[in-house]
PDB file of all heavy atoms in Angstrom:
ATOM      1  N   MET L1423     -33.734 189.886  91.467  1.00 89.00           N
ATOM      2  CA  MET L1423     -33.873 188.463  91.071  1.00 89.00           C
ATOM      3  C   MET L1423     -34.479 187.586  92.180  1.00 89.00           C
ATOM      4  O   MET L1423     -35.469 186.877  91.924  1.00 89.00           O
ATOM      5  CB  MET L1423     -32.532 187.930  90.584  1.00 89.00           C
ATOM      6  CG  MET L1423     -31.989 188.665  89.390  1.00 89.00           C
ATOM      7  SD  MET L1423     -31.965 187.662  87.895  1.00 89.00           S
ATOM      8  CE  MET L1423     -31.011 186.235  88.430  1.00 89.00           C
ATOM      9  N   VAL L1482     -38.190 191.210  79.463  1.00 96.00           N
ATOM     10  CA  VAL L1482     -37.680 190.009  78.732  1.00 96.00           C
ATOM     11  C   VAL L1482     -36.426 190.394  77.898  1.00 96.00           C
ATOM     12  O   VAL L1482     -35.420 189.678  77.954  1.00 96.00           O
ATOM     13  CB  VAL L1482     -38.769 189.370  77.853  1.00 96.00           C
ATOM     14  CG1 VAL L1482     -38.180 188.312  76.934  1.00 96.00           C
ATOM     15  CG2 VAL L1482     -39.830 188.727  78.753  1.00 96.00           C
ATOM     16  N   ASN L1483     -36.508 191.494  77.218  1.00 97.00           N
ATOM     17  CA  ASN L1483     -35.341 191.844  76.354  1.00 97.00           C
ATOM     18  C   ASN L1483     -34.116 192.188  77.191  1.00 97.00           C
ATOM     19  O   ASN L1483     -33.008 191.776  76.841  1.00 97.00           O
ATOM     20  CB  ASN L1483     -35.713 193.000  75.432  1.00 97.00           C
ATOM     21  CG  ASN L1483     -36.282 192.513  74.116  1.00 97.00           C
ATOM     22  OD1 ASN L1483     -35.534 191.954  73.294  1.00 97.00           O
ATOM     23  ND2 ASN L1483     -37.581 192.630  73.922  1.00 97.00           N
ATOM     24  N   PHE L1484     -34.291 192.936  78.286  1.00 97.00           N
ATOM     25  CA  PHE L1484     -33.146 193.280  79.097  1.00 97.00           C
ATOM     26  C   PHE L1484     -32.599 192.028  79.791  1.00 97.00           C
ATOM     27  O   PHE L1484     -31.379 191.864  79.953  1.00 97.00           O
ATOM     28  CB  PHE L1484     -33.508 194.359  80.143  1.00 97.00           C
ATOM     29  CG  PHE L1484     -33.701 195.714  79.516  1.00 97.00           C
ATOM     30  CD1 PHE L1484     -34.115 196.785  80.292  1.00 97.00           C
ATOM     31  CD2 PHE L1484     -33.454 195.917  78.158  1.00 97.00           C
ATOM     32  CE1 PHE L1484     -34.279 198.070  79.740  1.00 97.00           C
ATOM     33  CE2 PHE L1484     -33.637 197.186  77.583  1.00 97.00           C
ATOM     34  CZ  PHE L1484     -34.068 198.261  78.384  1.00 97.00           C
ATOM     35  N   ALA L1485     -33.513 191.131  80.216  1.00 95.00           N
ATOM     36  CA  ALA L1485     -33.061 189.899  80.796  1.00 95.00           C
ATOM     37  C   ALA L1485     -32.231 189.095  79.816  1.00 95.00           C
ATOM     38  O   ALA L1485     -31.157 188.556  80.176  1.00 95.00           O
ATOM     39  CB  ALA L1485     -34.250 189.065  81.280  1.00 95.00           C
ATOM     40  N   MET L1486     -32.675 189.033  78.578  1.00 95.00           N
ATOM     41  CA  MET L1486     -31.928 188.339  77.549  1.00 95.00           C
ATOM     42  C   MET L1486     -30.537 188.939  77.376  1.00 95.00           C
ATOM     43  O   MET L1486     -29.550 188.227  77.275  1.00 95.00           O
ATOM     44  CB  MET L1486     -32.654 188.385  76.198  1.00 95.00           C
ATOM     45  CG  MET L1486     -33.990 187.671  76.142  1.00 95.00           C
ATOM     46  SD  MET L1486     -33.893 185.938  76.525  1.00 95.00           S
ATOM     47  CE  MET L1486     -32.663 185.413  75.320  1.00 95.00           C
ATOM     48  N   LYS L1487     -30.530 190.239  77.351  1.00 95.00           N
ATOM     49  CA  LYS L1487     -29.251 190.948  77.144  1.00 95.00           C
ATOM     50  C   LYS L1487     -28.293 190.707  78.318  1.00 95.00           C
ATOM     51  O   LYS L1487     -27.099 190.554  78.139  1.00 95.00           O
ATOM     52  CB  LYS L1487     -29.536 192.419  76.994  1.00 95.00           C
ATOM     53  CG  LYS L1487     -28.304 193.320  76.805  1.00 95.00           C
ATOM     54  CD  LYS L1487     -27.623 193.134  75.455  1.00 95.00           C
ATOM     55  CE  LYS L1487     -26.287 193.875  75.392  1.00 95.00           C
ATOM     56  NZ  LYS L1487     -25.262 193.130  74.665  1.00 95.00           N
ATOM     57  N   LEU L1488     -28.855 190.636  79.520  1.00 93.00           N
ATOM     58  CA  LEU L1488     -27.982 190.568  80.698  1.00 93.00           C
ATOM     59  C   LEU L1488     -27.701 189.171  81.200  1.00 93.00           C
ATOM     60  O   LEU L1488     -26.771 188.958  81.976  1.00 93.00           O
ATOM     61  CB  LEU L1488     -28.583 191.425  81.835  1.00 93.00           C
ATOM     62  CG  LEU L1488     -28.700 192.934  81.567  1.00 93.00           C
ATOM     63  CD1 LEU L1488     -29.562 193.619  82.612  1.00 93.00           C
ATOM     64  CD2 LEU L1488     -27.307 193.548  81.530  1.00 93.00           C
ATOM     65  N   ALA L1489     -28.516 188.202  80.763  1.00 91.00           N
ATOM     66  CA  ALA L1489     -28.362 186.847  81.375  1.00 91.00           C
ATOM     67  C   ALA L1489     -27.498 185.908  80.554  1.00 91.00           C
ATOM     68  O   ALA L1489     -27.299 184.775  80.946  1.00 91.00           O
ATOM     69  CB  ALA L1489     -29.735 186.254  81.581  1.00 91.00           C
ATOM     70  N   ASN L1490     -27.005 186.377  79.429  1.00 89.00           N
ATOM     71  CA  ASN L1490     -26.137 185.510  78.602  1.00 89.00           C
ATOM     72  C   ASN L1490     -26.795 184.193  78.201  1.00 89.00           C
ATOM     73  O   ASN L1490     -26.158 183.142  78.193  1.00 89.00           O
ATOM     74  CB  ASN L1490     -24.830 185.180  79.313  1.00 89.00           C
ATOM     75  CG  ASN L1490     -23.883 186.359  79.345  1.00 89.00           C
ATOM     76  OD1 ASN L1490     -23.937 187.193  78.414  1.00 89.00           O
ATOM     77  ND2 ASN L1490     -23.078 186.463  80.372  1.00 89.00           N
ATOM     78  N   LEU L1491     -28.074 184.251  77.908  1.00 92.00           N
ATOM     79  CA  LEU L1491     -28.752 183.017  77.554  1.00 92.00           C
ATOM     80  C   LEU L1491     -28.715 182.797  76.024  1.00 92.00           C
ATOM     81  O   LEU L1491     -28.737 181.659  75.569  1.00 92.00           O
ATOM     82  CB  LEU L1491     -30.207 183.037  78.031  1.00 92.00           C
ATOM     83  CG  LEU L1491     -30.422 182.647  79.448  1.00 92.00           C
ATOM     84  CD1 LEU L1491     -31.869 182.952  79.868  1.00 92.00           C
ATOM     85  CD2 LEU L1491     -30.113 181.173  79.661  1.00 92.00           C
ATOM     86  N   ASP L1492     -28.722 183.871  75.295  1.00 95.00           N
ATOM     87  CA  ASP L1492     -28.799 183.772  73.835  1.00 95.00           C
ATOM     88  C   ASP L1492     -27.629 184.540  73.251  1.00 95.00           C
ATOM     89  O   ASP L1492     -27.507 185.761  73.405  1.00 95.00           O
ATOM     90  CB  ASP L1492     -30.129 184.350  73.353  1.00 95.00           C
ATOM     91  CG  ASP L1492     -30.435 183.992  71.930  1.00 95.00           C
ATOM     92  OD1 ASP L1492     -29.485 184.090  71.074  1.00 95.00           O
ATOM     93  OD2 ASP L1492     -31.556 183.576  71.644  1.00 95.00           O
ATOM     94  N   TYR L1495     -27.729 188.027  71.403  1.00 96.00           N
ATOM     95  CA  TYR L1495     -27.856 189.314  72.090  1.00 96.00           C
ATOM     96  C   TYR L1495     -26.496 189.964  72.330  1.00 96.00           C
ATOM     97  O   TYR L1495     -26.405 191.166  72.638  1.00 96.00           O
ATOM     98  CB  TYR L1495     -28.619 189.156  73.408  1.00 96.00           C
ATOM     99  CG  TYR L1495     -30.104 189.350  73.214  1.00 96.00           C
ATOM    100  CD1 TYR L1495     -30.917 188.304  72.793  1.00 96.00           C
ATOM    101  CD2 TYR L1495     -30.694 190.581  73.450  1.00 96.00           C
ATOM    102  CE1 TYR L1495     -32.278 188.493  72.593  1.00 96.00           C
ATOM    103  CE2 TYR L1495     -32.071 190.775  73.248  1.00 96.00           C
ATOM    104  CZ  TYR L1495     -32.822 189.726  72.817  1.00 96.00           C
ATOM    105  OH  TYR L1495     -34.192 189.924  72.634  1.00 96.00           O
ATOM    106  N   GLU L1496     -25.461 189.151  72.252  1.00 96.00           N
ATOM    107  CA  GLU L1496     -24.120 189.719  72.444  1.00 96.00           C
ATOM    108  C   GLU L1496     -23.766 190.693  71.315  1.00 96.00           C
ATOM    109  O   GLU L1496     -22.942 191.582  71.465  1.00 96.00           O
ATOM    110  CB  GLU L1496     -23.058 188.619  72.547  1.00 96.00           C
ATOM    111  CG  GLU L1496     -23.221 187.824  73.847  1.00 96.00           C
ATOM    112  CD  GLU L1496     -22.395 186.528  73.833  1.00 96.00           C
ATOM    113  OE1 GLU L1496     -21.402 186.471  73.063  1.00 96.00           O
ATOM    114  OE2 GLU L1496     -22.775 185.594  74.554  1.00 96.00           O
TER     115      GLU L1496
ATOM    116  N   MET R 561     -35.771 179.359  87.977  1.00 92.00           N
ATOM    117  CA  MET R 561     -34.908 179.946  86.949  1.00 92.00           C
ATOM    118  C   MET R 561     -34.079 181.098  87.424  1.00 92.00           C
ATOM    119  O   MET R 561     -32.955 181.305  87.031  1.00 92.00           O
ATOM    120  CB  MET R 561     -35.755 180.426  85.787  1.00 92.00           C
ATOM    121  CG  MET R 561     -36.068 179.379  84.742  1.00 92.00           C
ATOM    122  SD  MET R 561     -36.995 180.150  83.422  1.00 92.00           S
ATOM    123  CE  MET R 561     -35.758 181.294  82.752  1.00 92.00           C
ATOM    124  N   ALA R 565     -28.801 178.713  87.476  1.00 90.00           N
ATOM    125  CA  ALA R 565     -28.337 179.026  86.121  1.00 90.00           C
ATOM    126  C   ALA R 565     -28.508 177.838  85.157  1.00 90.00           C
ATOM    127  O   ALA R 565     -28.851 178.010  83.990  1.00 90.00           O
ATOM    128  CB  ALA R 565     -26.877 179.467  86.130  1.00 90.00           C
ATOM    129  N   ARG R 568     -31.983 177.608  84.095  1.00 92.00           N
ATOM    130  CA  ARG R 568     -32.228 178.719  83.173  1.00 92.00           C
ATOM    131  C   ARG R 568     -31.893 178.258  81.731  1.00 92.00           C
ATOM    132  O   ARG R 568     -32.709 178.416  80.832  1.00 92.00           O
ATOM    133  CB  ARG R 568     -31.317 179.899  83.558  1.00 92.00           C
ATOM    134  CG  ARG R 568     -31.875 181.264  83.290  1.00 92.00           C
ATOM    135  CD  ARG R 568     -31.550 182.222  84.398  1.00 92.00           C
ATOM    136  NE  ARG R 568     -30.095 182.356  84.633  1.00 92.00           N
ATOM    137  CZ  ARG R 568     -29.572 182.676  85.812  1.00 92.00           C
ATOM    138  NH1 ARG R 568     -30.355 182.886  86.862  1.00 92.00           N
ATOM    139  NH2 ARG R 568     -28.278 182.785  85.973  1.00 92.00           N
ATOM    140  N   GLN R 569     -30.723 177.737  81.553  1.00 92.00           N
ATOM    141  CA  GLN R 569     -30.313 177.214  80.247  1.00 92.00           C
ATOM    142  C   GLN R 569     -31.317 176.192  79.747  1.00 92.00           C
ATOM    143  O   GLN R 569     -31.784 176.247  78.616  1.00 92.00           O
ATOM    144  CB  GLN R 569     -28.925 176.535  80.376  1.00 92.00           C
ATOM    145  CG  GLN R 569     -27.773 177.490  80.213  1.00 92.00           C
ATOM    146  CD  GLN R 569     -27.651 178.075  78.834  1.00 92.00           C
ATOM    147  OE1 GLN R 569     -28.235 177.551  77.866  1.00 92.00           O
ATOM    148  NE2 GLN R 569     -26.982 179.199  78.730  1.00 92.00           N
TER     149      GLN R 569
END
Side-chain angles (χ1 to χ4, degrees):
Chain L
M1423 299 248 304
V1482 169
N1483 270 287
F1484 287 176
M1486 295 301 304
K1487 178 70 188 142
L1488 296 168
N1490 287 331
L1491 277 171
D1492 194 314
Y1495 270 83
E1496 291 167 24
Chain R
M561 272 183 65
R568 211 142 58 208
Q569 275 293 342

